[in-house]
Amino acid sequence: RVRAIVLARGSASSHAAILARSYGIPMLTGAGTSVLDIAEGTLLAVDGARGELVVAPTEEVRNDVRGRIARRERDAAAVRTAAIGPATTTDGVEVAVLANVASVVDARAGVAAHADGSGLVRTELLFLGRERAPDRDEQEGVYRAVAEAFGGRRVVLRTLDAGGDKPLPFLTQPHEENPFLGVRGVRLTLRHPDLMLDQLVAMCRVAHDHPISVMLPMVSTVEEVLAARVLLDQACHEAGGRAESLRFGIMVEVPVAALKSASLAPHVDFFSVGTNDLTQYALAAERGNSGVAQLTDGLDPGVLALIAALCTGAGDVPVSVCGELAADPDAVGLLIGLGVRSLSVVAPAVPGVKQRVRAASVSAARGLAERALTCAGAAEVRDLVRSSVPSG
Ligand code: PEP
Ligand code: MG
């Protein structure tokens, strides 16, 4: 029943914003503290796409907004119907368009939006707000239900990405001054090998019946990857052997991981760029802080240069993007031009991204990406993309 959310603070790449987007709920962030003074019961008109808020709108404004909603719903329905089947560029390159999910309900929404699979299952939602970790059987049940919803399409299960802004009550962590630079993601799970092993065993069991990829968050070093692989081998053994279709990959969220992709590549089957974190770390601007929200644009040429370096170093290892940038209409063509061949986005964004892919050509996108890398800033990159139809 929630029609829209308006936040005084916050930013568009916070986890709250990502959840709202996955439910298709319009949300404005960083609207300023004056919104806290709006009287209870006041009608608001919110246009998430335009970033507009009208307090106590007149009848004329209300009619205008209703018209916009109806038009957008009609357009979205048409784009959704057209989203059936694979997305191929005009020069014949297939780009997988996948759904990011955090639950079985999200997985069903992804399938309904014609996603080609899931490029990111945020498993931590299963762990948050609990007194102890879910056991192997419970985890297996949830991962299996998500995989079943996708009916044979590949599902990428990310290992627990707690810490940072997602603390876990049952893993006592000492206070950290900078939790985003602290013990989070794979750094945390490697310090709790029993917890990590339980999760990997649950994933390996499901992999016997469904195409599953296991993905590590927040990787910074080759040693972390090797340590996790040892645990994965043990988990496969405990799950009755390694399924032939099981794949293993890492997220690229820490800038040095992008720069070290050639050293990491021999140890993984795929890379997936988490642009939300990659952008916050590259620009030293926290993703949930409205004071620096202007800085956290994944189209900053420096962030694009990191993705370009990753793709070059990756060689034949496929590169995907599962951060919010993958759903940014200005970014789709650029990412394809940089060498990305799968995009994982919130379910409501799947049809629009497929439409973008089908309008792009790899050869034109490559030229565009090269020029974007020479731009001075994100605004210039956006101008460049918008002036170069149709590859953007
Ligand atoms: C990312 O960092 O881009 C990402 C996909 O992971 P999360 O948003 O869950 O941190
Ligand atoms: Mg992340």
Side-chain angles (χ1 to χ4, degrees), residues 158 161 184 253 277 287:
R158 178 171 75 180
D161 184 22
R184 63 167 294 210
E253 302 177 282
D277 278 313
R287 59 194 276 187

Side-chain angles (χ1 to χ4, degrees), residues 19-375:
L19 285 180
R21 209 171 290 133
S22 70
Y23 292 119
I25 300 173
M27 174 156 153
L28 294 187
T29 59
T33 48
S34 61
V35 297
L36 302 175
D37 299 329
I38 298 171
E40 197 72 32
T42 308
L43 188 73
L44 304 179
V46 178
D47 186 332
R50 289 197 195 171
E52 264 175 30
L53 167 69
V54 183
V55 180
T58 60
E59 192 52 41
E60 196 189 341
V61 170
R62 282 154 72 169
N63 285 337
D64 175 45
V65 170
R66 280 193 205 105
R68 268 188 245 169
I69 293 173
R71 249 191 330 276
R72 286 195 198 147
E73 277 171 2
R74 260 197 319 275
D75 292 351
V79 175
R80 226 177 3 254
T81 310
I84 299 171
T88 307
T89 61
T90 55
D91 44 0
V93 175
E94 194 172 318
V95 176
V97 181
L98 312 162
N100 290 348
V101 309
S103 65
V104 182
V105 173
D106 288 357
R108 293 195 190 112
V111 172
H114 309 295
D116 302 318
S118 173
L120 169 62
V121 179
R122 289 187 166 96
T123 62
E124 53 277 5
L125 290 200
L126 190 59
F127 292 70
L128 292 177
R130 301 185 47 148
E131 288 188 1
R132 74 172 77 100
D135 65 16
R136 293 178 180 188
D137 292 345
E138 183 182 347
Q139 291 191 52
E140 180 188 344
V142 174
Y143 306 154
R144 191 173 288 283
V146 168
E148 274 166 6
F150 278 103
R153 302 174 190 94
R154 181 163 288 277
V155 167
V156 180
L157 297 171
R158 178 171 75 180
T159 61
L160 182 61
D161 184 22
D165 60 343
K166 294 175 283 190
L168 277 186
F170 56 86
L171 288 185
T172 45
Q173 292 171 66
H175 169 78
E176 295 180 311
E177 291 296 338
N178 290 299
F180 272 121
L181 302 181
V183 187
R184 63 167 294 210
V186 75
R187 303 172 182 180
L188 180 69
T189 49
L190 283 175
R191 289 177 192 209
H192 297 272
D194 292 346
L195 182 92
M196 190 165 185
L197 189 65
D198 282 348
Q199 188 171 35
L200 293 172
V201 169
M203 292 175 175
C204 289
R205 286 181 186 163
V206 179
H208 282 294
D209 306 309
H210 301 275
I212 292 293
S213 299
V214 172
M215 179 163 80
L216 307 176
M218 274 296 289
V219 169
S220 332
T221 67
V222 173
E223 287 75 16
E224 287 165 346
V225 177
L226 297 179
R229 283 188 61 138
V230 170
L231 282 173
L232 183 63
D233 287 345
Q234 189 182 336
C236 288
H237 178 71
E238 291 188 27
R242 188 183 179 111
E244 206 270 318
S245 63
L246 183 72
R247 302 277 179 273
F248 170 75
I250 61 170
M251 291 191 74
V252 175
E253 302 177 282
V254 181
V256 292
L259 302 174
K260 293 189 290 190
S261 55
S263 306
L264 290 159
H267 309 293
V268 298
D269 299 315
F270 65 94
F271 292 103
S272 186
V273 190
T275 50
N276 310 330
D277 278 313
L278 185 67
T279 306
Q280 92 162 335
Y281 294 128
L283 284 143
E286 192 196 309
R287 59 194 276 187
N289 183 338
S290 55
V292 289
Q294 300 289 76
L295 286 172
T296 53
D297 189 332
L299 284 186
D300 186 285
V303 177
L304 297 179
L306 286 168
I307 300 174
L310 163 66
C311 291
T312 304
D316 293 336
V317 176
V319 177
S320 172
V321 172
C322 65
E324 294 301 288
L325 188 67
D328 184 327
D330 291 339
V332 173
L334 280 177
L335 294 173
I336 293 172
L338 290 171
V340 172
R341 289 296 172 267
S342 91
L343 300 164
S344 197
V345 299
V346 289
V350 167
V353 172
K354 282 200 174 182
Q355 192 182 40
R356 286 265 158 186
V357 170
R358 288 176 179 145
S361 87
V362 171
S363 51
R366 277 197 189 121
L368 188 69
E370 260 169 46
R371 277 187 287 153
L373 289 169
T374 66
C375 287

